[in-house]
Amino acid sequence: AQSVTQPDIHITVSEGASLELRCNYSYGATPYLFWYVQSPGQGLQLLLKYFSGDTLVQGIKGFEAEFKRSQSSFNLRKPSVHWSDAAEYFCAVAITDSWGKFQFGAGTQVVVTP
Amino acid sequence: NAGVTQTPKFRVLKTGQSMTLLCAQDMNHEYMYWYRQDPGMGLRLIHYSVGEGTTAKGEVPDGYNVSRLKKQNFLLGLESAAPSQTSVYFCASIPNRSGGLNEQFFGPGTRLTVL
């Protein structure tokens, strides 16, 4: 069965420091991968997505993610965190053998300290 | 365009009561989804629809029913609410199948409390 794992439930980072959020997936075929961000009281907003091609993808708000097939990972990174990056982040995989379904990870809560 | 909207934003129910959550999108999207979000569990798919008049079960469908009578609307019903259905409910949509997979567009959510 397909699954998405975000090992870190909660991360605290200082403003200006780098951030890396981990995502591991279990999926037989080539995955379609997404990272979403959810600010408090809001819906989810797409940060970036990977379908194929270059394994390093750029997204909005200065985020990037790298797809590593050998490690079944799709980690999200940002070189310098801003206070406005405090939010919950979700990794998701599209389940292409059951069209239209997406599987989400449990989320990582990011806290940014001054 | 308003995008994806959800009605109501908040609701408190007593056990056994019924209610319907409305999701509306004005982007002419074919596919629509209902998720519930619970702490530490991410988003779990309740039901989804791949077109007007179609619905399918997701990961956690028990206790919920859905209808897609119009392309732009996707209704989620709770016939007899239970405390375990206390959650935040999100609706989402994607355009269609052609051109590969697309990002999901999410509504702002409905916070439901069942006492």
Side-chain angles (χ1 to χ4, degrees):
Chain A
Q2 299 89 352
S3 66
V4 179
T5 303
Q6 294 181 246
D8 304 304
I9 297 172
H10 188 275
I11 286 180
T12 299
V13 60
S14 299
E15 192 168 13
S18 64
L19 174 68
E20 181 168 14
L21 304 182
R22 296 183 290 165
C23 173
N24 295 100
Y25 65 90
S26 172
Y27 192 59
T30 299
Y32 296 90
L33 296 159
F34 304 77
W35 273 102
Y36 286 85
V37 60
Q38 183 183 30
S39 299
Q42 302 296 314
L44 278 70
Q45 180 185 21
L46 181 72
L47 284 175
L48 47 78
K49 59 188 176 186
Y50 171 78
F51 290 166
S52 64
D54 193 348
T55 56
L56 185 64
V57 294
Q58 303 296 321
I60 63 171
K61 303 186 180 187
F63 284 91
E64 66 178 26
E66 186 172 12
F67 171 64
K68 293 185 177 180
R69 185 185 300 276
S70 62
Q71 298 178 18
S72 297
S73 68
F74 188 55
N75 294 350
L76 182 71
R77 299 193 292 253
K78 185 169 184 177
S80 178
V81 168
H82 187 261
W83 64 265
S84 60
D85 294 321
E88 190 156 20
Y89 293 79
F90 293 93
C91 181
V93 60
I95 303 172
T96 55
D97 61 348
S98 185
W99 190 259
K101 287 187 180 180
F102 291 74
Q103 182 100 32
F104 284 82
T108 298
Q109 184 72 47
V110 172
V111 173
V112 180
T113 60
Chain B
N1 286 352
V4 180
T5 58
Q6 293 182 230
T7 309
K9 290 184 169 53
F10 302 94
R11 186 71 185 268
V12 178
L13 290 178
K14 294 182 179 178
T15 297
Q17 287 185 318
S18 63
M19 77 163 295
T20 300
L21 281 66
L22 171 64
C23 174
Q25 51 91 6
D26 61 2
M27 298 174 285
N28 202 34
H29 286 180
E30 291 288 342
Y31 295 75
M32 297 185 73
Y33 309 82
W34 274 109
Y35 293 93
R36 60 177 290 173
Q37 183 182 27
D38 302 291
M41 304 189 76
L43 276 75
R44 293 181 292 168
L45 183 64
I46 304 172
H47 286 281
Y48 64 104
S49 168
V50 298
E52 182 178 320
T54 74
T55 62
K57 293 180 179 180
E59 183 184 354
V60 288
D62 294 342
Y64 304 95
N65 57 74
V66 288
S67 64
R68 183 97 181 268
L69 298 179
K70 294 182 178 180
K71 185 177 183 178
Q72 63 268 32
N73 296 337
F74 195 28
L75 280 65
L76 178 71
L78 286 73
E79 289 187 349
S80 180
S84 60
Q85 294 177 303
T86 294
S87 187
V88 181
Y89 292 85
F90 286 99
C91 178
S93 68
I94 62 173
N96 52 50
R97 185 172 181 163
S98 64
L101 290 162
N102 300 278
E103 68 171 286
Q104 290 193 318
F105 291 81
F106 282 86
T110 296
R111 185 172 295 274
L112 175 66
T113 301
V114 183
L115 302 175

